[in-house]
Amino acid sequence: MTLDPRPYLRLASASPRRRELLTSIGVSVEVSPVDLDETPLPGEAPRDHVLRLARDKAVAGHAAGGPATLGADTVVVVDGRVLGKPRDAGHARSMLETLAGRSHEVMTGVAVQGPAGLLTRCVVSRVTLRDIPAAEMAAYWRTGEPLDKAGGYAIQGFGSVFVTHLEGSYSAVVGLPLCETAEILRRQAVPLWNLPVS
């Protein structure tokens, strides 16, 4: 597939996974990350948190004008608590110990600022991990993969061997719900592979 080299969408994120997902549906992207404090607000529900960050990224990225701008955020939620990215090996092990042998939620908020205004969606998926022995947790940390991943694992990488069940959107767990994102982009007149825009 050959994409038009002109960017139709600004991606307000440095995530290579989000860029790859957008490219996979034929969207020409200009990467322009924004730097925001991603700390949850006091008493902020996880769903509100991901939507707020997605909106703030889209609005901040679009402030300079130009193409429609997409912001997104993904969090892992267990027992109502947001698990961020691990600080070190001990923190990563603690996260996997919390997630192993049970189900958790992955929430991804997406927002696009463009001609149709600010459009948002939040997609919630449910992921179940098997029991993970301590030796496997240590070996997984040594791969380097968990370091920048919410919840300390990547469903699209080596961490896939821990996943026994997924309810919801695989691409949302990776970082961007493609079905819902495509719907928003069409409403913002951003062309996909060969689908007509609204």
Side-chain angles (χ1 to χ4, degrees):
M1 174 175 55
T2 302
L3 297 180
D4 187 323
R6 296 169 297 175
Y8 287 107
L9 181 70
R10 178 178 293 124
L11 175 61
S13 168
S15 167
R17 294 168 293 281
R18 291 193 178 110
R19 180 176 187 166
E20 289 164 5
L21 286 167
L22 288 165
T23 299
S24 76
I25 59 170
V27 179
S28 182
V29 176
E30 168 193 309
V31 176
S32 184
V34 297
D35 186 22
L36 296 177
D37 180 359
E38 299 191 4
T39 306
L41 300 175
E44 187 175 40
R47 183 187 184 92
D48 296 336
H49 174 68
V50 294
L51 280 172
R52 175 177 61 84
L53 290 181
R55 286 193 304 264
D56 288 354
K57 290 174 184 178
V59 170
H62 194 67
T69 303
L70 183 148
D73 193 69
T74 301
V75 296
V76 169
V77 182
V78 62
D79 298 330
R81 182 168 55 101
V82 172
L83 299 185
K85 298 174 183 177
R87 299 181 298 271
D88 52 36
H91 191 209
R93 183 178 63 251
S94 175
M95 286 184 179
L96 286 180
E97 287 172 348
T98 300
L99 299 174
R102 60 182 297 192
S103 298
H104 61 273
E105 292 182 325
V106 179
M107 298 184 182
T108 297
V110 58
V112 180
Q113 177 77 55
L118 181 63
L119 305 179
T120 65
R121 290 290 297 272
C122 181
V123 173
V124 182
S125 302
R126 193 163 186 83
V127 181
T128 304
L129 302 188
R130 64 168 168 81
D131 289 330
I132 308 171
E136 287 191 46
M137 293 183 188
Y140 184 49
W141 175 258
R142 289 193 297 271
T143 68
E145 184 176 89
L147 191 57
D148 69 338
K149 306 297 187 300
Y153 78 96
I155 195 171
Q156 76 278 13
F158 299 131
S160 62
V161 301
F162 305 139
V163 178
T164 63
H165 190 68
L166 167 66
E167 295 176 37
S169 168
Y170 173 82
S171 67
V173 177
V174 176
L176 199 64
L178 287 180
C179 180
E180 293 79 3
T181 298
E183 176 191 344
I184 292 175
L185 292 178
R186 291 176 69 186
R187 290 175 61 192
Q188 295 285 22
V190 175
L192 306 181
W193 43 282
N194 66 351
L195 297 178
V197 295
S198 298

